[in-house]
Structure formats: structure tokens, C-alpha cells
Amino acid sequence: MVFEKQELDGVYLITPKVFRDERGYFFESFRQSDFNKELNCDFVQDNEVFSKNKNIIRGLHYQIENAQGKLIHVVKGAIKDTIVDIRDGSKDFGKSFTINLNSRNHKILYVPEGFAHGYLVLEKNTIVQYRCTNYYNPQSEYGIKWNDPDLNIDWGILDPLISEKDENLPFLKMQTILPKL
């Protein structure tokens, strides 16, 4: 696996070595020893999300208690993954990073704790798996509205499918609880 640092501190794009032949392909999507060496983190929970339609935005979500680093991998389909540095005191506070992930390129995104995370589904029947460094805590879940004008994220869509919960999230400047650096 190749770990590439990205412009936001702590964010990595991971490229596994993919072995292909006439039968298909094989690759290691996770090896704890590699992640301990590169990122020094442990993972405790795996999640999987299925989206039957495209043009769905999920997020932008984060937790304070039990903050989660996430390892994002698309098993089937494609997403436009977006993260925002919301660590109070960070030099990159409010900056975002966006990358397309899909089941053809097998790229994996590591999102450290202290970032809000969300994505736009680009293909029907997309499956996203993500591995977390901490357990989900619904009492500590927060979020930022997907179309926050101060973040200026170009999702490439004006009228996405959004859950009622995500549609009612506040903008970043209205957040009263943010992770500390």
C-alpha cells in the first residue's frame, strides 16, 4: 500500500496494490501493521452504506465524544467524498478536501478525527464501507449543512437527495461545539 499525504494535515489517500488476471482482481484493503506504521491508529468498528440512487448527499457529520477517524472505501459504484477541517485552532480550519472514490480505482481515503465528513453518490447501487477509530455515539453526533456558503463546496449538483436530518443541520459558523486541535 502507498500512503500519500494530502494538503490537509493528517489526511491520506491510500492506494493498494491490486493484482488482476482473467478471473478478476485481489487486493488487501487493510493491514493493521501498515496502518500502525503510517498512521498510528486502531480501528474498532466497520460500517457499510448502500445508496440505491445517485445524487444523494450524506453528511457532513462528525462526533465530539468518541471522535472518529475514518477509512473510506467504495466497494461498488462511485462517490465524491468531501471532508472539512473543523478542528478549533487548526491552520486549515474551514478548508475542505474533495476526491472521487470508486470501485474501479480502489483508492481509500483516511479522514482523521476532527473533520466533518460527507459524500455525494455518483452512481446507482453504490456501496461504501468505512472503518472507524472509535464507536458511534448518537448522543455526540453533530453536523454541518451540505451547502454552507462559507465552505463553498462544489458538489456539482444543485438539488440532491438529502435526509431530513441532514437538511436541517446548521452552518459551520453556527456550531457551538467543535473538536479541539
Side-chain angles (χ1 to χ4, degrees), residues 4-41:
E4 298 174 70
K5 288 183 181 182
Q6 301 303 298
E7 59 260 23
L8 296 180
D9 187 39
V11 176
Y12 285 81
L13 186 61
I14 302 154
T15 305
K17 183 170 175 79
V18 180
F19 300 93
R20 299 177 191 276
D21 64 21
E22 67 279 354
R23 300 168 297 165
Y25 66 84
F26 167 84
F27 70 94
E28 285 184 354
S29 60
F30 179 78
R31 179 183 281 253
Q32 185 69 50
S33 60
D34 290 348
F35 282 83
N36 283 345
K37 182 172 48 174
E38 295 292 334
L39 303 175
N40 193 28
C41 60

mmCIF file of all heavy atoms in Angstrom, residues 4-41:
data_model
loop_
_atom_site.group_PDB
_atom_site.id
_atom_site.type_symbol
_atom_site.label_atom_id
_atom_site.label_comp_id
_atom_site.label_asym_id
_atom_site.label_seq_id
_atom_site.Cartn_x
_atom_site.Cartn_y
_atom_site.Cartn_z
ATOM 1 N N GLU A 4 -0.282 8.392 0.705
ATOM 2 C CA GLU A 4 0.071 9.719 0.194
ATOM 3 C C GLU A 4 -0.567 10.790 1.076
ATOM 4 O O GLU A 4 -1.800 10.864 1.159
ATOM 5 C CB GLU A 4 -0.448 9.903 -1.227
ATOM 6 C CG GLU A 4 0.118 8.945 -2.244
ATOM 7 C CD GLU A 4 -0.577 9.107 -3.587
ATOM 8 O OE1 GLU A 4 -0.355 10.156 -4.239
ATOM 9 O OE2 GLU A 4 -1.344 8.206 -3.953
ATOM 10 N N LYS A 5 0.269 11.631 1.705
ATOM 11 C CA LYS A 5 -0.245 12.753 2.483
ATOM 12 C C LYS A 5 -0.947 13.723 1.546
ATOM 13 O O LYS A 5 -0.473 13.987 0.440
ATOM 14 C CB LYS A 5 0.895 13.489 3.188
ATOM 15 C CG LYS A 5 1.489 12.737 4.338
ATOM 16 C CD LYS A 5 2.550 13.582 5.019
ATOM 17 C CE LYS A 5 3.155 12.794 6.164
ATOM 18 N NZ LYS A 5 4.163 13.585 6.894
ATOM 19 N N GLN A 6 -2.050 14.268 2.011
ATOM 20 C CA GLN A 6 -2.796 15.268 1.248
ATOM 21 C C GLN A 6 -2.569 16.647 1.865
ATOM 22 O O GLN A 6 -1.911 16.767 2.894
ATOM 23 C CB GLN A 6 -4.279 14.897 1.225
ATOM 24 C CG GLN A 6 -4.553 13.527 0.618
ATOM 25 C CD GLN A 6 -4.037 13.381 -0.793
ATOM 26 O OE1 GLN A 6 -4.464 14.083 -1.696
ATOM 27 N NE2 GLN A 6 -3.100 12.456 -1.011
ATOM 28 N N GLU A 7 -3.128 17.687 1.237
ATOM 29 C CA GLU A 7 -2.839 19.051 1.687
ATOM 30 C C GLU A 7 -3.372 19.379 3.074
ATOM 31 O O GLU A 7 -2.824 20.236 3.752
ATOM 32 C CB GLU A 7 -3.318 20.095 0.674
ATOM 33 C CG GLU A 7 -4.797 20.056 0.381
ATOM 34 C CD GLU A 7 -5.159 19.345 -0.917
ATOM 35 O OE1 GLU A 7 -4.390 18.520 -1.415
ATOM 36 O OE2 GLU A 7 -6.248 19.632 -1.415
ATOM 37 N N LEU A 8 -4.432 18.710 3.525
ATOM 38 C CA LEU A 8 -4.927 18.940 4.880
ATOM 39 C C LEU A 8 -4.209 17.990 5.837
ATOM 40 O O LEU A 8 -4.080 16.793 5.562
ATOM 41 C CB LEU A 8 -6.441 18.737 4.949
ATOM 42 C CG LEU A 8 -7.293 19.703 4.125
ATOM 43 C CD1 LEU A 8 -8.774 19.393 4.278
ATOM 44 C CD2 LEU A 8 -7.009 21.144 4.506
ATOM 45 N N ASP A 9 -3.763 18.532 6.966
ATOM 46 C CA ASP A 9 -2.950 17.790 7.921
ATOM 47 C C ASP A 9 -3.648 16.529 8.426
ATOM 48 O O ASP A 9 -4.772 16.585 8.918
ATOM 49 C CB ASP A 9 -2.611 18.699 9.103
ATOM 50 C CG ASP A 9 -1.622 18.058 10.055
ATOM 51 O OD1 ASP A 9 -0.687 17.381 9.578
ATOM 52 O OD2 ASP A 9 -1.786 18.229 11.278
ATOM 53 N N GLY A 10 -2.973 15.398 8.274
ATOM 54 C CA GLY A 10 -3.481 14.130 8.771
ATOM 55 C C GLY A 10 -4.295 13.339 7.774
ATOM 56 O O GLY A 10 -4.657 12.195 8.036
ATOM 57 N N VAL A 11 -4.612 13.904 6.627
ATOM 58 C CA VAL A 11 -5.425 13.245 5.608
ATOM 59 C C VAL A 11 -4.503 12.483 4.658
ATOM 60 O O VAL A 11 -3.492 13.016 4.203
ATOM 61 C CB VAL A 11 -6.275 14.265 4.824
ATOM 62 C CG1 VAL A 11 -7.056 13.595 3.706
ATOM 63 C CG2 VAL A 11 -7.209 15.013 5.767
ATOM 64 N N TYR A 12 -4.866 11.228 4.364
ATOM 65 C CA TYR A 12 -4.072 10.389 3.469
ATOM 66 C C TYR A 12 -4.953 9.745 2.415
ATOM 67 O O TYR A 12 -6.078 9.337 2.694
ATOM 68 C CB TYR A 12 -3.395 9.250 4.242
ATOM 69 C CG TYR A 12 -2.221 9.675 5.061
ATOM 70 C CD1 TYR A 12 -2.391 10.247 6.319
ATOM 71 C CD2 TYR A 12 -0.920 9.509 4.591
ATOM 72 C CE1 TYR A 12 -1.304 10.639 7.082
ATOM 73 C CE2 TYR A 12 0.168 9.895 5.344
ATOM 74 C CZ TYR A 12 -0.041 10.459 6.591
ATOM 75 O OH TYR A 12 1.044 10.852 7.336
ATOM 76 N N LEU A 13 -4.420 9.631 1.207
ATOM 77 C CA LEU A 13 -5.013 8.824 0.163
ATOM 78 C C LEU A 13 -4.165 7.561 0.074
ATOM 79 O O LEU A 13 -2.938 7.634 -0.036
ATOM 80 C CB LEU A 13 -5.020 9.561 -1.176
ATOM 81 C CG LEU A 13 -5.750 8.839 -2.305
ATOM 82 C CD1 LEU A 13 -7.224 8.641 -1.960
ATOM 83 C CD2 LEU A 13 -5.617 9.613 -3.600
ATOM 84 N N ILE A 14 -4.821 6.424 0.151
ATOM 85 C CA ILE A 14 -4.124 5.147 0.201
ATOM 86 C C ILE A 14 -4.436 4.365 -1.068
ATOM 87 O O ILE A 14 -5.599 4.205 -1.440
ATOM 88 C CB ILE A 14 -4.553 4.350 1.451
ATOM 89 C CG1 ILE A 14 -4.238 5.191 2.702
ATOM 90 C CG2 ILE A 14 -3.876 2.992 1.499
ATOM 91 C CD1 ILE A 14 -5.096 4.880 3.875
ATOM 92 N N THR A 15 -3.377 3.912 -1.725
ATOM 93 C CA THR A 15 -3.529 3.133 -2.943
ATOM 94 C C THR A 15 -3.024 1.720 -2.684
ATOM 95 O O THR A 15 -1.830 1.515 -2.450
ATOM 96 C CB THR A 15 -2.737 3.764 -4.104
ATOM 97 O OG1 THR A 15 -3.138 5.123 -4.251
ATOM 98 C CG2 THR A 15 -2.971 3.017 -5.394
ATOM 99 N N PRO A 16 -3.934 0.739 -2.696
ATOM 100 C CA PRO A 16 -3.492 -0.640 -2.503
ATOM 101 C C PRO A 16 -2.875 -1.200 -3.787
ATOM 102 O O PRO A 16 -3.124 -0.705 -4.884
ATOM 103 C CB PRO A 16 -4.785 -1.380 -2.153
ATOM 104 C CG PRO A 16 -5.855 -0.592 -2.815
ATOM 105 C CD PRO A 16 -5.384 0.842 -2.828
ATOM 106 N N LYS A 17 -2.069 -2.222 -3.622
ATOM 107 C CA LYS A 17 -1.519 -2.928 -4.783
ATOM 108 C C LYS A 17 -2.579 -3.932 -5.231
ATOM 109 O O LYS A 17 -2.944 -4.836 -4.480
ATOM 110 C CB LYS A 17 -0.216 -3.630 -4.418
ATOM 111 C CG LYS A 17 0.447 -4.316 -5.585
ATOM 112 C CD LYS A 17 1.839 -4.779 -5.222
ATOM 113 C CE LYS A 17 2.469 -5.562 -6.340
ATOM 114 N NZ LYS A 17 3.003 -4.796 -7.400
ATOM 115 N N VAL A 18 -3.076 -3.743 -6.447
ATOM 116 C CA VAL A 18 -4.154 -4.576 -6.978
ATOM 117 C C VAL A 18 -3.562 -5.598 -7.938
ATOM 118 O O VAL A 18 -2.814 -5.244 -8.855
ATOM 119 C CB VAL A 18 -5.220 -3.715 -7.695
ATOM 120 C CG1 VAL A 18 -6.340 -4.589 -8.243
ATOM 121 C CG2 VAL A 18 -5.778 -2.647 -6.756
ATOM 122 N N PHE A 19 -3.898 -6.859 -7.729
ATOM 123 C CA PHE A 19 -3.455 -7.954 -8.593
ATOM 124 C C PHE A 19 -4.644 -8.365 -9.468
ATOM 125 O O PHE A 19 -5.681 -8.770 -8.953
ATOM 126 C CB PHE A 19 -2.973 -9.142 -7.751
ATOM 127 C CG PHE A 19 -1.826 -8.791 -6.850
ATOM 128 C CD1 PHE A 19 -2.052 -8.383 -5.541
ATOM 129 C CD2 PHE A 19 -0.522 -8.855 -7.313
ATOM 130 C CE1 PHE A 19 -1.001 -8.049 -4.705
ATOM 131 C CE2 PHE A 19 0.545 -8.522 -6.486
ATOM 132 C CZ PHE A 19 0.299 -8.119 -5.182
ATOM 133 N N ARG A 20 -4.474 -8.242 -10.786
ATOM 134 C CA ARG A 20 -5.553 -8.554 -11.727
ATOM 135 C C ARG A 20 -5.136 -9.715 -12.632
ATOM 136 O O ARG A 20 -3.982 -9.837 -12.999
ATOM 137 C CB ARG A 20 -5.862 -7.341 -12.596
ATOM 138 C CG ARG A 20 -6.323 -6.123 -11.830
ATOM 139 C CD ARG A 20 -6.532 -4.919 -12.763
ATOM 140 N NE ARG A 20 -6.724 -3.694 -12.039
ATOM 141 C CZ ARG A 20 -7.881 -3.267 -11.545
ATOM 142 N NH1 ARG A 20 -8.953 -4.005 -11.713
ATOM 143 N NH2 ARG A 20 -7.961 -2.133 -10.883
ATOM 144 N N ASP A 21 -6.122 -10.501 -12.993
ATOM 145 C CA ASP A 21 -5.930 -11.525 -14.017
ATOM 146 C C ASP A 21 -7.277 -11.789 -14.677
ATOM 147 O O ASP A 21 -8.238 -11.053 -14.431
ATOM 148 C CB ASP A 21 -5.281 -12.796 -13.451
ATOM 149 C CG ASP A 21 -6.121 -13.526 -12.418
ATOM 150 O OD1 ASP A 21 -7.358 -13.325 -12.389
ATOM 151 O OD2 ASP A 21 -5.555 -14.299 -11.636
ATOM 152 N N GLU A 22 -7.356 -12.829 -15.492
ATOM 153 C CA GLU A 22 -8.583 -13.102 -16.234
ATOM 154 C C GLU A 22 -9.780 -13.410 -15.329
ATOM 155 O O GLU A 22 -10.931 -13.314 -15.746
ATOM 156 C CB GLU A 22 -8.362 -14.243 -17.252
ATOM 157 C CG GLU A 22 -8.103 -15.597 -16.650
ATOM 158 C CD GLU A 22 -6.660 -15.816 -16.205
ATOM 159 O OE1 GLU A 22 -5.786 -14.955 -16.446
ATOM 160 O OE2 GLU A 22 -6.401 -16.859 -15.576
ATOM 161 N N ARG A 23 -9.534 -13.769 -14.065
ATOM 162 C CA ARG A 23 -10.620 -14.087 -13.128
ATOM 163 C C ARG A 23 -11.194 -12.848 -12.464
ATOM 164 O O ARG A 23 -12.325 -12.857 -12.000
ATOM 165 C CB ARG A 23 -10.123 -15.026 -12.022
ATOM 166 C CG ARG A 23 -9.595 -16.343 -12.533
ATOM 167 C CD ARG A 23 -8.867 -17.085 -11.452
ATOM 168 N NE ARG A 23 -7.688 -16.301 -11.043
ATOM 169 C CZ ARG A 23 -6.999 -16.521 -9.935
ATOM 170 N NH1 ARG A 23 -7.354 -17.464 -9.108
ATOM 171 N NH2 ARG A 23 -5.939 -15.772 -9.660
ATOM 172 N N GLY A 24 -10.397 -11.780 -12.391
ATOM 173 C CA GLY A 24 -10.835 -10.575 -11.688
ATOM 174 C C GLY A 24 -9.660 -9.908 -11.013
ATOM 175 O O GLY A 24 -8.622 -9.698 -11.631
ATOM 176 N N TYR A 25 -9.798 -9.608 -9.730
ATOM 177 C CA TYR A 25 -8.721 -8.925 -9.012
ATOM 178 C C TYR A 25 -8.691 -9.347 -7.540
ATOM 179 O O TYR A 25 -9.650 -9.916 -7.022
ATOM 180 C CB TYR A 25 -8.842 -7.400 -9.113
ATOM 181 C CG TYR A 25 -10.065 -6.827 -8.417
ATOM 182 C CD1 TYR A 25 -10.047 -6.546 -7.047
ATOM 183 C CD2 TYR A 25 -11.225 -6.549 -9.121
ATOM 184 C CE1 TYR A 25 -11.159 -6.026 -6.408
ATOM 185 C CE2 TYR A 25 -12.338 -6.021 -8.484
ATOM 186 C CZ TYR A 25 -12.302 -5.765 -7.127
ATOM 187 O OH TYR A 25 -13.394 -5.258 -6.497
ATOM 188 N N PHE A 26 -7.580 -9.024 -6.888
ATOM 189 C CA PHE A 26 -7.397 -9.224 -5.453
ATOM 190 C C PHE A 26 -6.553 -8.073 -4.938
ATOM 191 O O PHE A 26 -5.609 -7.634 -5.602
ATOM 192 C CB PHE A 26 -6.656 -10.541 -5.161
ATOM 193 C CG PHE A 26 -6.167 -10.632 -3.734
ATOM 194 C CD1 PHE A 26 -7.005 -11.074 -2.727
ATOM 195 C CD2 PHE A 26 -4.881 -10.222 -3.399
ATOM 196 C CE1 PHE A 26 -6.561 -11.123 -1.409
ATOM 197 C CE2 PHE A 26 -4.432 -10.271 -2.086
ATOM 198 C CZ PHE A 26 -5.275 -10.719 -1.089
ATOM 199 N N PHE A 27 -6.890 -7.564 -3.740
ATOM 200 C CA PHE A 27 -6.026 -6.601 -3.056
ATOM 201 C C PHE A 27 -6.324 -6.619 -1.563
ATOM 202 O O PHE A 27 -7.419 -6.987 -1.147
ATOM 203 C CB PHE A 27 -6.157 -5.187 -3.633
ATOM 204 C CG PHE A 27 -7.466 -4.499 -3.347
ATOM 205 C CD1 PHE A 27 -7.601 -3.648 -2.258
ATOM 206 C CD2 PHE A 27 -8.557 -4.670 -4.190
ATOM 207 C CE1 PHE A 27 -8.800 -2.998 -2.002
ATOM 208 C CE2 PHE A 27 -9.747 -4.026 -3.948
ATOM 209 C CZ PHE A 27 -9.876 -3.190 -2.851
ATOM 210 N N GLU A 28 -5.316 -6.251 -0.797
ATOM 211 C CA GLU A 28 -5.513 -6.058 0.642
ATOM 212 C C GLU A 28 -6.047 -4.647 0.846
ATOM 213 O O GLU A 28 -5.393 -3.683 0.463
ATOM 214 C CB GLU A 28 -4.193 -6.195 1.405
ATOM 215 C CG GLU A 28 -3.704 -7.596 1.542
ATOM 216 C CD GLU A 28 -2.437 -7.689 2.403
ATOM 217 O OE1 GLU A 28 -1.872 -6.647 2.808
ATOM 218 O OE2 GLU A 28 -2.016 -8.823 2.648
ATOM 219 N N SER A 29 -7.215 -4.540 1.450
ATOM 220 C CA SER A 29 -7.784 -3.214 1.706
ATOM 221 C C SER A 29 -7.392 -2.701 3.091
ATOM 222 O O SER A 29 -7.542 -1.519 3.365
ATOM 223 C CB SER A 29 -9.311 -3.249 1.580
ATOM 224 O OG SER A 29 -9.867 -4.153 2.513
ATOM 225 N N PHE A 30 -6.880 -3.596 3.916
ATOM 226 C CA PHE A 30 -6.480 -3.187 5.260
ATOM 227 C C PHE A 30 -5.465 -4.183 5.808
ATOM 228 O O PHE A 30 -5.633 -5.379 5.667
ATOM 229 C CB PHE A 30 -7.695 -3.135 6.194
ATOM 230 C CG PHE A 30 -7.358 -2.752 7.595
ATOM 231 C CD1 PHE A 30 -7.115 -1.437 7.927
ATOM 232 C CD2 PHE A 30 -7.266 -3.714 8.579
ATOM 233 C CE1 PHE A 30 -6.790 -1.075 9.225
ATOM 234 C CE2 PHE A 30 -6.942 -3.366 9.875
ATOM 235 C CZ PHE A 30 -6.700 -2.045 10.202
ATOM 236 N N ARG A 31 -4.415 -3.642 6.427
ATOM 237 C CA ARG A 31 -3.426 -4.445 7.149
ATOM 238 C C ARG A 31 -3.013 -3.599 8.353
ATOM 239 O O ARG A 31 -2.389 -2.549 8.197
ATOM 240 C CB ARG A 31 -2.225 -4.770 6.285
ATOM 241 C CG ARG A 31 -1.166 -5.600 7.020
ATOM 242 C CD ARG A 31 0.041 -5.848 6.140
ATOM 243 N NE ARG A 31 -0.233 -6.904 5.199
ATOM 244 C CZ ARG A 31 0.281 -8.121 5.291
ATOM 245 N NH1 ARG A 31 1.107 -8.416 6.266
ATOM 246 N NH2 ARG A 31 -0.001 -9.023 4.395
ATOM 247 N N GLN A 32 -3.397 -4.039 9.550
ATOM 248 C CA GLN A 32 -3.187 -3.247 10.764
ATOM 249 C C GLN A 32 -1.734 -2.804 10.928
ATOM 250 O O GLN A 32 -1.475 -1.660 11.279
ATOM 251 C CB GLN A 32 -3.628 -4.034 12.008
ATOM 252 C CG GLN A 32 -3.559 -3.232 13.297
ATOM 253 C CD GLN A 32 -4.579 -2.116 13.374
ATOM 254 O OE1 GLN A 32 -5.760 -2.325 13.137
ATOM 255 N NE2 GLN A 32 -4.140 -0.914 13.689
ATOM 256 N N SER A 33 -0.775 -3.666 10.628
ATOM 257 C CA SER A 33 0.634 -3.300 10.814
ATOM 258 C C SER A 33 1.030 -2.120 9.924
ATOM 259 O O SER A 33 1.787 -1.244 10.350
ATOM 260 C CB SER A 33 1.552 -4.501 10.553
ATOM 261 O OG SER A 33 1.386 -4.984 9.232
ATOM 262 N N ASP A 34 0.523 -2.059 8.688
ATOM 263 C CA ASP A 34 0.806 -0.925 7.804
ATOM 264 C C ASP A 34 0.199 0.363 8.353
ATOM 265 O O ASP A 34 0.827 1.419 8.330
ATOM 266 C CB ASP A 34 0.263 -1.170 6.398
ATOM 267 C CG ASP A 34 1.034 -2.239 5.647
ATOM 268 O OD1 ASP A 34 2.119 -2.643 6.110
ATOM 269 O OD2 ASP A 34 0.541 -2.676 4.584
ATOM 270 N N PHE A 35 -1.025 0.266 8.844
ATOM 271 C CA PHE A 35 -1.690 1.449 9.374
ATOM 272 C C PHE A 35 -1.054 1.916 10.678
ATOM 273 O O PHE A 35 -0.952 3.114 10.930
ATOM 274 C CB PHE A 35 -3.189 1.206 9.533
ATOM 275 C CG PHE A 35 -3.908 1.302 8.220
ATOM 276 C CD1 PHE A 35 -3.956 0.224 7.354
ATOM 277 C CD2 PHE A 35 -4.494 2.490 7.835
ATOM 278 C CE1 PHE A 35 -4.589 0.319 6.139
ATOM 279 C CE2 PHE A 35 -5.133 2.601 6.615
ATOM 280 C CZ PHE A 35 -5.178 1.510 5.756
ATOM 281 N N ASN A 36 -0.600 0.993 11.501
ATOM 282 C CA ASN A 36 0.103 1.378 12.729
ATOM 283 C C ASN A 36 1.398 2.114 12.398
ATOM 284 O O ASN A 36 1.751 3.095 13.040
ATOM 285 C CB ASN A 36 0.425 0.158 13.586
ATOM 286 C CG ASN A 36 -0.785 -0.361 14.326
ATOM 287 O OD1 ASN A 36 -1.803 0.311 14.433
ATOM 288 N ND2 ASN A 36 -0.684 -1.577 14.825
ATOM 289 N N LYS A 37 2.094 1.653 11.375
ATOM 290 C CA LYS A 37 3.362 2.263 10.985
ATOM 291 C C LYS A 37 3.149 3.655 10.381
ATOM 292 O O LYS A 37 3.862 4.599 10.706
ATOM 293 C CB LYS A 37 4.078 1.354 9.981
ATOM 294 C CG LYS A 37 5.433 1.860 9.534
ATOM 295 C CD LYS A 37 6.192 0.834 8.697
ATOM 296 C CE LYS A 37 5.344 0.244 7.612
ATOM 297 N NZ LYS A 37 6.056 -0.640 6.700
ATOM 298 N N GLU A 38 2.142 3.791 9.530
ATOM 299 C CA GLU A 38 1.908 5.051 8.815
ATOM 300 C C GLU A 38 1.059 6.047 9.600
ATOM 301 O O GLU A 38 1.318 7.237 9.571
ATOM 302 C CB GLU A 38 1.241 4.773 7.463
ATOM 303 C CG GLU A 38 2.097 3.997 6.500
ATOM 304 C CD GLU A 38 3.298 4.779 5.995
ATOM 305 O OE1 GLU A 38 3.259 6.018 5.963
ATOM 306 O OE2 GLU A 38 4.288 4.128 5.616
ATOM 307 N N LEU A 39 0.019 5.558 10.277
ATOM 308 C CA LEU A 39 -0.957 6.460 10.889
ATOM 309 C C LEU A 39 -1.075 6.320 12.406
ATOM 310 O O LEU A 39 -1.700 7.158 13.044
ATOM 311 C CB LEU A 39 -2.340 6.233 10.271
ATOM 312 C CG LEU A 39 -2.415 6.395 8.760
ATOM 313 C CD1 LEU A 39 -3.803 6.023 8.258
ATOM 314 C CD2 LEU A 39 -2.067 7.798 8.348
ATOM 315 N N ASN A 40 -0.547 5.262 12.963
ATOM 316 C CA ASN A 40 -0.614 5.015 14.403
ATOM 317 C C ASN A 40 -2.050 5.126 14.925
ATOM 318 O O ASN A 40 -2.351 5.922 15.817
ATOM 319 C CB ASN A 40 0.314 5.967 15.167
ATOM 320 C CG ASN A 40 0.487 5.519 16.606
ATOM 321 O OD1 ASN A 40 0.378 4.341 16.913
ATOM 322 N ND2 ASN A 40 0.751 6.458 17.487
ATOM 323 N N CYS A 41 -2.938 4.336 14.343
ATOM 324 C CA CYS A 41 -4.325 4.337 14.801
ATOM 325 C C CYS A 41 -4.864 2.913 14.793
ATOM 326 O O CYS A 41 -4.396 2.059 14.050
ATOM 327 C CB CYS A 41 -5.188 5.243 13.927
ATOM 328 S SG CYS A 41 -5.233 4.789 12.200
#
